Amino acid sequence: IEADPAAHIRLSGRSGVFIDGTIRAPAGKIDVLLAGNSAGQKQTVQSIQSRIWLGPNSRLLAPGAEKIDPVNNLGLRIGEVLDAGQVNIAAEYGSVLGARSAEINVDAVSSRLDLQNNGIRTSREVGGAAGEINFTAAESFAYSGKLSAQSVLDQPGGRLSFNLDPTNRGAEAPDTAPNAINLFYHGEFTAVMDDYSGTLPGTAGTVGPDLLGHAYIPVSQVASGGFDALDVRVRDSRPTAGSVSPDTTDSLPVVEFTRDTTLQLDRRLTLDAAVIRIDGDHDVMLDAPYIALGSTNNRPLEGSIPETREESPGIYIDNTAVLTLTPTSGPGSLRVEADLVELVGEMVTQG
């Protein structure tokens, strides 16, 4: 699919969206959406295994573009350079998965234009800004392909965001009846700050326990892709977005580091979760002009009373205990360097 500059392309599916070709909208917007038309439609076995799959030949391209006047009689290059666009991949239920050779590109471009200043026309290289790539998933996220938002000249680099949010998937709290079968994943929802190293299930394989409840953030792509802003947001599992309490006592939103990690951004870094954890003896370095840590959820976890608790694997009972966020010590090291560090809402560190 090839669109004109600044076009908007939207692909939407109810049971799955599989892309294995090229979609190009220079300086435009590409939306890929997996969404049902009712909560009842979402609460099925199929919805748990639904997915947006970006195959090995998929290319979602919204780079910058130039618009040049084609009828100039003097041979002058008169026009403008358009900023790169947006690519938004959102699964309100199910997962977002991308093959190793897939590509999403919102690179900036530059062009030599003949500009007029005080009646004098001069030739100058003009650049636009890089664009945005935004991912949202309810069950899991793992993308192994290439992400690129390279800047040009002195223009800003691109923005990359990940949102692991199960509140739109239409899942009720676990059934506490004897011998009840609970289809949906319940428990911690974790953004793992590391590339996914497992085998992706493709279009028809089972999204297994190593993926469910996890978003694997491809940190190797942040620097190589030219991004200068990274936003990671995680939400706990609740029956609806407006529910006062999470559905289980262990339904916590977590950002987790599992190896030595350095994240350096030229503009912004936000880790929007109630728990920031280092799993093991690892050194984590965060460096950006602005860094925000902590949950922006306006319905706090601390002091809430989750609906259920897991008494034994797969068996849930009604809960009356108050949830407490517990910080823990460990061998890990977290270092934050910024012109401004903002601690937002509730947050504990672990490890």
Side-chain angles (χ1 to χ4, degrees):
I1 299 175
E2 181 84 26
D4 292 334
H8 183 185
I9 299 173
R10 185 176 188 269
L11 303 178
S12 178
R14 292 180 180 171
S15 59
V17 180
F18 306 146
I19 298 174
D20 202 25
T22 298
I23 300 174
R24 180 178 171 84
K29 188 175 182 181
I30 300 173
D31 292 334
V32 181
L33 179 65
L34 178 60
N37 58 8
S38 68
Q41 180 179 339
K42 299 174 188 177
Q43 296 179 62
T44 64
V45 176
Q46 288 78 14
S47 71
I48 301 167
Q49 291 296 324
S50 295
R51 69 204 66 177
I52 295 173
W53 168 250
L54 304 178
N57 300 306
S58 69
R59 305 287 183 270
L60 304 182
L61 312 175
E66 61 174 26
K67 290 180 67 175
I68 305 298
D69 181 0
V71 295
N72 184 272
N73 295 324
L74 301 177
L76 299 175
R77 289 179 56 84
I78 298 175
E80 61 180 328
V81 175
L82 303 178
D83 294 340
Q86 284 186 12
V87 176
N88 303 305
I89 314 293
E92 290 186 358
Y93 57 92
S95 303
V96 174
L97 306 171
R100 189 167 303 278
S101 56
E103 180 182 357
I104 302 176
N105 182 299
V106 289
D107 287 350
V109 300
S110 65
S111 180
R112 183 160 291 276
L113 302 178
D114 294 310
L115 305 177
Q116 185 167 312
N117 184 19
N118 295 326
I120 301 175
R121 205 172 278 282
T122 58
S123 179
R124 200 177 105 196
E125 192 75 14
V126 177
E132 295 185 8
I133 300 174
N134 303 302
F135 293 101
T136 296
E139 299 290 349
S140 65
F141 171 84
Y143 179 88
S144 299
K146 180 181 179 181
L147 302 172
S148 185
Q150 300 289 345
S151 62
V152 295
L153 305 179
D154 295 325
Q155 295 295 320
R159 173 180 179 262
L160 180 62
S161 76
F162 300 91
N163 181 24
L164 181 61
D165 187 352
T167 56
N168 289 320
R169 61 184 179 162
E172 300 291 345
D175 192 338
T176 58
N179 302 317
I181 298 176
N182 290 290
L183 301 176
F184 279 88
Y185 169 83
H186 296 278
E188 286 189 358
F189 278 77
T190 305
V192 181
M193 303 298 289
D194 197 2
D195 295 38
Y196 182 66
S197 59
T199 301
L200 291 170
T203 59
T206 299
V207 179
D210 64 322
L211 285 170
L212 289 175
H214 293 80
Y216 289 86
I217 311 303
V219 294
S220 66
Q221 296 291 314
V222 175
S224 65
F227 298 94
D228 67 8
L230 173 64
D231 301 314
V232 179
R233 177 180 179 269
V234 188
R235 289 293 176 260
D236 56 272
S237 177
R238 305 189 184 208
T240 67
S243 298
V244 175
S245 301
D247 50 21
T248 66
T249 54
D250 58 352
S251 180
L252 300 176
V254 179
V255 169
E256 183 173 76
F257 295 89
T258 57
R259 62 179 178 85
D260 292 350
T261 304
T262 298
L263 284 174
Q264 292 180 304
L265 286 301
D266 289 337
R267 186 175 14 148
R268 181 181 73 242
L269 171 63
T270 65
L271 302 180
D272 186 342
V275 179
I276 296 178
R277 177 188 298 153
I278 300 176
D279 184 13
D281 185 8
H282 304 297
D283 295 325
V284 175
M285 171 67 174
L286 309 179
D287 186 353
Y290 172 79
I291 296 178
L293 306 175
S295 175
T296 61
N297 193 342
N298 60 5
R299 297 183 181 275
L301 289 165
E302 181 77 23
S304 66
I305 302 177
E307 296 189 30
T308 63
R309 64 181 177 87
E310 192 172 26
E311 185 179 44
S312 58
I315 305 299
Y316 293 87
I317 62 174
D318 292 331
N319 173 67
T320 58
V322 174
L323 190 150
T324 300
L325 293 174
T326 305
T328 62
S329 60
S333 170
L334 174 63
R335 181 179 176 184
V336 180
E337 291 191 2
D339 296 329
L340 174 63
V341 177
E342 187 173 4
L343 302 181
V344 182
E346 59 183 1
M347 182 195 71
V348 297
T349 58
Q350 296 180 346

